[in-house]
Amino acid sequence: MKYAPLLLLVTVAVLIALPWLVSGSMLNAAVQMLIAALFAMAFGLLCGQAGMLSFGHAAYFGVGAFAAVHAMNAFGGEGLLPTPLLPLVGGATGLVSGLLAGYFSTKRTGVYFAMITLALAELLHALAPHLKTVFG
């Protein structure tokens, strides 16, 4: 464990230098892998550490993605919102929707928690085709 700060520093340095080390398609693949790893870590934390099986954590990921896309296309697609702020918009929207759903779902444990999260995810999935103005 005495080399952990050095390993962290080397990892951050490699990630910062990655755009200059690989091609554009490889950089895109690396970003997709990091997003998938973050998504898997969230599930691992919720299920492994907290012991709560969630069927709906992907819904908040999707809500954040839709919010980022809508923020990117806001103001007639003129791009008035700086691009580096788009992940922050998506993350904040996912956080707010997760807090709202979490308020209801964390009141129960076990199978009831799993079914409530599944119901909330299916609710969003069922609403998407009916809200064409929001989801496109």
Side-chain angles (χ1 to χ4, degrees):
M1 281 285 137
K2 74 179 195 179
Y3 295 112
L6 180 63
L7 181 63
L8 180 65
L9 185 64
V10 168
T11 304
V12 169
V14 167
L15 288 175
I16 289 173
L18 201 60
W20 293 281
L21 297 175
V22 297
S23 66
S25 61
M26 292 300 289
L27 182 64
N28 187 24
V31 168
Q32 294 295 324
M33 285 187 278
L34 287 172
I35 290 171
L38 181 64
F39 188 69
M41 286 186 340
F43 184 76
L45 177 69
L46 189 62
C47 190
Q49 300 291 327
M52 300 182 332
L53 177 63
S54 171
F55 289 116
H57 71 284
Y60 318 118
F61 187 78
V63 167
F66 274 121
V69 168
H70 282 296
M72 185 173 58
N73 291 330
F75 306 111
E78 295 182 19
L80 296 176
L81 187 66
T83 304
L85 294 180
L86 292 175
L88 297 176
V89 170
T93 307
L95 173 71
V96 169
S97 64
L99 286 174
L100 289 173
Y103 175 77
F104 298 107
S105 59
T106 56
K107 302 251 185 232
R108 301 283 181 236
T109 59
V111 175
Y112 301 111
F113 174 80
M115 291 298 109
I116 290 171
T117 58
L118 178 64
L120 290 172
E122 286 300 316
L123 177 68
L124 283 174
H125 178 73
L127 278 177
H130 298 291
L131 300 174
K132 296 268 188 209
T133 58
V134 176
F135 294 110

